[in-house]
Amino acid sequence: MTAEQTAPTRSGATPGGAPALDRRRWIALAVIALAQLMVVLDATIVNIALPSAQSDLGFGNDQRQWVVTAYSLAFGSLLLLGGRLGDLFGRKTTFIVGLVGFAVASVLGGLADSFGLLVAARALQGVFGALLAPAALGMLTTTFRDPKERGRAFGIFGSIAGSGAAIGLLLGGVLTEYASWRWCLYVNVVFAVLGVIGALVFMATPPKVDRPRIDVAGVLTITAGLVGIVYGFSNAETNGWNAPLTIVMLAAGVVLVAAFVFIELRVAHPLLPLRVVLDRDRGGSFIAIGLVAIGMFGIFLFLTYYLEQTLGFTALQTGLAFLPMPLSIMVSATQIGGRLLPRVGPKVLIFAGGLVAATGLLLLLRTDLDSTYAGTVLPALIVIGLGMGTIFSSAMNTATTGVARADAGVASATVNTMQQIGGSIGTALLSTIFTNVVDDRLAAAGGAPSKLQQAQAVLDGYHTAFAISAGVLVLVALAGGLLINRQSVRLAKLEHASATATGSIPAAAH
């Protein structure tokens, strides 16, 4: 009998006196969290290294975005397929393959002697990341079924998901300053080796389930559709919303996603069973996760620019400056979200977390050209982290609660897809608005603006981005308050009672 098949008692130990099995489950959580950290921080750790890589390999500013876009295109468009492959071949196997492939791709990127090879390696990272991320969350979902244990587990996992980008800034700053930009890629090998060893030693092999067939038409339409949407938003960031390629890619992406939904309603073995997303609780959680990704972009990108370009921080100092935020997220996700979720449910926590995080972003409107970090930025980061921690731990838990074991991979992939699409929207939308605000301020200044006027125009652009991000987080609160059902926790307890009585994991509750 595996850890997944054994119903835990209220104390957390398994029946029959098997505390060692219980400990193995929590060690497996550490392995899963480590893999998630690698995938999440890789989006920002490379951003810090880009200037050094550009100088070393000699590519232009107009090419620089492809180092980031290649990863996001492959990762975002293949997530649903990666989740279903985990359901098909087993999540433990897919998890290990994803780790090994991600490490190999990272080594290729670190050894790159040309721009083309670096971009190809980043795309390959995205491919294996699309296998790894859904498998990690899917294994977490099927390993922890007791509501109390599940709340703690998702608190830890959510803290990693929410703070990984900030940790990437810190780690990228350290490696770039004291080693080389190449080590921002090589470091993934360390994560992968630890993850593979941990998976082989501590992760139970899930019981066999009926293997779903691959929905080829669904795979083709959703993959092409997500490529169109992610590429369209990336192109809008550099070439504008009126660029023909932007319009064509976004329109084609929307049409293909609509075709995907049409196909899923009619095929016998859908890639994404619509029952997964149409459930009220999970649907609200998916929306909240996507909106949070949009809002977080305003924090990481524009606050990084503010610290480095306005206050004059180095890359290392910027990474250290962000450190209080992931610490705040970890405390909030584990001590607030993880503990309160079984008692008050996700509706209250996501609503409150959205308002708290929005308040933290509004505190960043106090930033000025000569603000101090301790008096202005630090309090905002702590408040933002407290709100984000409760959102991530609650939304990720709810988005995967009550899913049939055979659908756990694709449900987990949907969580990651919402994050990726949200990040792409945030990148394009906020960058465009920021640029327009700065241009308008400089035009209003007339003639040749002074350095002070230029700096003030950029600051106004930051403030606009922070204000819009705060508004998006208010929408997160509304999504939690209006869409998510208060009975989620009661249903989860009923599922656990059913699993205890029958010795099996129940199918989706709705």
Side-chain angles (χ1 to χ4, degrees):
M1 184 176 291
T2 67
E4 292 182 15
Q5 292 171 300
T6 307
T9 64
R10 293 187 63 180
S11 64
T14 52
L21 195 59
D22 184 67
R23 284 195 300 271
R24 286 170 65 90
R25 196 161 66 248
W26 290 102
I27 296 174
L29 169 62
V31 175
I32 292 170
L34 183 69
Q36 177 69 12
L37 177 62
M38 181 180 72
V39 173
V40 174
L41 68 79
D42 210 71
T44 52
I45 192 173
V46 172
N47 289 349
I48 292 292
L50 265 181
S52 297
Q54 184 177 0
S55 176
D56 191 11
L57 299 180
F59 53 87
N61 289 335
D62 58 333
Q63 297 174 297
R64 186 170 56 188
Q65 64 151 330
W66 284 104
V67 179
V68 177
T69 303
Y71 178 83
S72 62
L73 273 176
F75 183 68
S77 61
L78 294 173
L79 275 166
L80 285 175
L81 175 59
R84 187 51 93 192
L85 289 176
D87 295 332
L88 183 62
F89 296 107
R91 278 176 282 280
K92 181 177 178 179
T93 300
T94 309
F95 181 82
I96 293 173
V97 170
L99 283 170
V100 173
F102 203 96
V104 171
S106 299
V107 171
L108 289 176
L111 294 173
D113 58 0
S114 67
F115 171 72
L117 182 56
L118 178 59
V119 170
R122 287 286 289 163
L124 193 60
Q125 278 185 316
V127 171
F128 285 104
L131 283 177
L132 177 60
L137 186 53
M139 291 185 71
L140 182 67
T141 299
T142 55
T143 299
F144 293 91
R145 288 283 176 169
D146 177 83
K148 198 172 281 188
E149 280 194 344
R150 185 182 174 94
R152 294 205 306 270
F154 270 87
I156 295 170
F157 188 86
S159 70
I160 296 296
S163 60
I167 296 173
L169 291 173
L170 173 59
L171 187 58
V174 171
L175 293 173
T176 301
E177 187 155 330
Y178 293 108
S180 162
W181 67 268
R182 297 179 186 276
W183 277 98
C184 292
L185 293 162
Y186 291 147
V187 72
N188 290 324
V189 177
V190 178
F191 288 110
V193 169
L194 293 175
V196 170
I197 294 173
L200 292 173
V201 175
F202 297 107
M203 285 185 177
T205 301
K208 294 182 178 180
V209 296
D210 292 335
R211 289 185 173 184
R213 296 179 182 177
I214 294 295
D215 170 20
V216 177
V219 168
L220 294 176
T221 51
I222 193 61
T223 300
L226 291 176
V227 165
I229 290 173
V230 174
Y231 186 89
F233 279 114
S234 297
N235 195 68
E237 181 188 3
T238 53
N239 298 319
W241 294 96
N242 294 325
L245 186 58
T246 299
I247 297 171
V248 169
M249 293 301 289
L250 288 175
V254 171
V255 170
L256 286 168
V257 170
F260 169 74
V261 174
F262 180 82
I263 291 169
E264 299 308 277
L265 287 170
R266 286 159 176 77
V267 297
H269 302 281
L271 175 67
L272 175 60
L274 294 185
R275 62 179 178 272
V276 172
V277 295
L278 293 180
D279 172 85
R280 180 173 171 177
D281 294 337
R282 285 195 291 273
S285 297
F286 289 139
I287 291 172
I289 290 167
L291 290 172
V292 165
I294 297 174
M296 285 191 71
F297 178 81
I299 304 167
F300 289 117
L301 182 70
F302 295 108
L303 189 54
T304 298
Y305 286 160
Y306 172 75
L307 291 173
E308 293 189 1
Q309 297 180 0
T310 303
L311 298 188
F313 282 32
T314 65
L316 178 58
Q317 288 173 327
T318 299
L320 290 171
F322 271 102
L323 191 57
M325 182 178 167
L327 294 176
S328 180
I329 289 175
M330 290 177 187
V331 170
S332 175
T334 57
Q335 302 304 312
I336 299 176
R339 292 177 182 272
L340 291 182
L341 184 62
R343 300 180 183 179
V344 302
K347 185 184 187 79
V348 173
L349 290 177
I350 294 176
F351 179 78
L355 294 182
V356 170
T359 301
L361 270 160
L362 291 177
L363 290 176
L364 288 176
L365 298 181
R366 299 166 55 239
T367 52
D368 209 338
L369 297 178
D370 57 355
S371 296
T372 62
Y373 169 78
T376 307
V377 178
L378 178 60
L381 288 176
I382 293 173
V383 174
I384 291 169
L386 291 174
M388 288 290 187
T390 58
I391 295 171
F392 274 106
S393 60
S394 304
M396 286 188 167
N397 190 335
T398 308
T400 53
T401 293
V403 179
R405 186 186 293 277
D407 294 333
V410 74
S412 303
T414 306
V415 170
N416 286 280
T417 300
M418 293 303 296
Q419 286 181 293
Q420 189 64 34
I421 296 301
S424 298
I425 293 173
T427 300
L429 182 63
L430 293 176
S431 292
T432 302
I433 293 172
F434 168 80
T435 300
N436 290 339
V437 169
V438 174
D439 290 345
D440 290 345
R441 298 295 188 274
L442 293 178
S450 65
K451 288 186 176 180
L452 179 60
Q453 288 174 318
Q454 293 176 21
Q456 186 61 52
V458 170
L459 184 65
D460 289 344
Y462 295 153
H463 286 172
T464 302
F466 294 146
I468 292 174
S469 296
V472 172
L473 287 165
V474 171
L475 294 179
V476 173
L478 293 176
L482 298 177
L483 297 178
I484 295 177
N485 192 332
R486 291 182 183 272
Q487 302 303 312
S488 297
V489 176
R490 183 181 66 82
L491 289 172
K493 290 181 177 179
L494 288 175
E495 286 181 10
H496 174 58
S498 174
T500 305
T502 64
S504 63
I505 299 299
H510 305 288

